């Protein structure tokens, strides 16, 4: 679809101009060299070429991988040692192999450790959803881009978890103020 719509050419131009490209989950898979799907689990094709931005390839299987993850950043020089850990979750089919060495993740349930993620030049890929909810990681990615543009680094000023909780509490308060909860409970037979 990316190729049919010409989006691949746009991504290639952006990459070649130095734009920072980050792929999460399926985006990570597409940034690799090949996507191999012999059972046609994810598409009608047994194999397609990826964009080739990362030195990885993905082999699809029937198993859906769903885990909470916590991990360490293995390429600490990327962030000048300012960000060492991440957390989030995985939900994907397929296994990506090759130059997979950005994070060392511990999956739960269980305690399996796996390597995840790849970086090459101005491209990063990972299976970790929610990675930008990690305040220090998000700030250091932005500072990485700032450094490449010759701009001064900025400190982390947003606590995303607190920000999200405040928004959800405000939403809950507005709902409570504006709905007749007694009527709703009565209508659902409570």
């Amino acid at each position: 679809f990316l190729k049919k719509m010409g989006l691949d050419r746009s991504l290639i131009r952006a990459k070649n101009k130095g734009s920072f490209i980050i792929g999460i989950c399926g985006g990570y898979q597409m940034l690799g060299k090949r996507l191999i799907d012999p059972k046609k689990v994810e598409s009608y094709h047994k194999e397609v070429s990826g964009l080739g931005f990362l030195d990885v390839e993905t082999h699809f299987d029937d198993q859906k991988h769903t885990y909470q993850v916590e991990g360490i950043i293995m390429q600490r020089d990327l962030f000048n040692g300012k960000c060492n850990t991440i957390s989030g979750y995985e939900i994907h089919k397929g296994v990506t192999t090759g130059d997979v060495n950005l994070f060392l993740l511990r999956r739960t349930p269980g305690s399996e450790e796996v390597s995840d993620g790849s970086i090459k030049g101005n491209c990063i890929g990972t299976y970790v959803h929610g990675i930008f909810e990690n305040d220090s990681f998000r700030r250091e990615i932005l500072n990485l881009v700032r450094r490449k543009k010759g701009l001064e680094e900025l400190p982390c000023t947003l606590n995303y978890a607190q920000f999200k909780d405040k928004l959800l509490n405000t939403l809950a308060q507005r709902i409570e103020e504006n709905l007749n909860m007694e009527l709703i409970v009565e209508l659902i037979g409570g």
Side-chain angles (χ1 to χ4, degrees):
F1 179 78
L2 283 174
K3 292 173 183 175
K4 183 178 180 181
M5 301 306 293
L7 294 172
D8 61 330
R9 293 186 302 278
S10 295
L11 287 167
I12 291 167
R13 279 193 304 275
K15 176 188 168 290
N16 291 341
K17 287 181 179 178
S19 295
F20 212 76
I21 297 174
I22 300 173
I24 297 174
C25 200
Y28 170 35
Q29 295 168 339
M30 288 184 264
L31 291 176
K33 292 181 176 183
R34 293 188 313 154
L35 295 96
I36 302 159
D37 191 3
K39 296 180 183 177
K40 298 183 179 179
V41 173
E42 288 289 315
S43 76
Y44 298 111
H45 307 284
K46 288 186 175 185
E47 183 175 322
V48 294
S49 296
L51 293 169
F53 295 175
L54 298 173
D55 294 327
V56 299
E57 64 181 33
T58 300
H59 296 260
F60 291 99
D61 55 33
D62 294 337
Q63 181 183 0
K64 187 141 207 153
H65 304 274
T66 57
Y67 305 99
Q68 293 291 324
V69 295
E70 291 183 348
I72 61 170
I73 298 170
M74 294 195 293
Q75 296 190 18
R76 292 193 179 148
D77 60 321
L78 183 65
F79 303 127
N80 297 327
K82 294 180 183 175
C83 176
N84 298 319
T85 62
I86 58 151
S87 64
Y89 65 94
E90 292 180 80
I91 181 167
H92 59 91
K93 288 187 177 178
V95 175
T96 299
T97 58
D99 187 22
V100 178
N101 64 359
L102 185 55
F103 307 119
L104 178 63
L105 302 178
R106 180 177 303 272
R107 292 174 166 170
T108 56
S111 59
E112 176 185 16
E113 285 191 346
V114 296
S115 293
D116 173 74
S118 186
I119 183 167
K120 183 177 181 184
N122 54 334
C123 297
I124 289 179
T126 180
Y127 277 120
V128 181
H129 293 267
I131 197 163
F132 292 110
E133 292 182 30
N134 294 269
D135 297 328
S136 61
F137 178 81
R138 182 183 61 251
R139 171 45 54 202
E140 291 311 315
I141 285 287
L142 292 171
N143 280 337
L144 178 65
V145 173
R146 292 180 67 81
R147 283 193 306 272
K148 287 188 177 204
K149 291 182 172 273
L151 300 172
E152 181 182 330
E153 292 185 19
L154 296 176
C156 185
T157 57
L158 175 70
N159 182 315
Y160 182 77
Q162 287 178 352
F163 177 73
K164 183 170 70 171
D165 284 347
K166 182 179 177 183
L167 289 177
L168 290 173
N169 288 333
T170 300
L171 176 62
Q173 183 180 352
R174 296 296 180 265
I175 289 171
E176 186 177 347
E177 292 170 355
N178 293 290
L179 289 180
N180 182 339
M181 294 306 294
E182 290 175 5
L183 176 61
I184 292 172
V185 169
E186 183 181 317
L187 290 172
I188 60 174

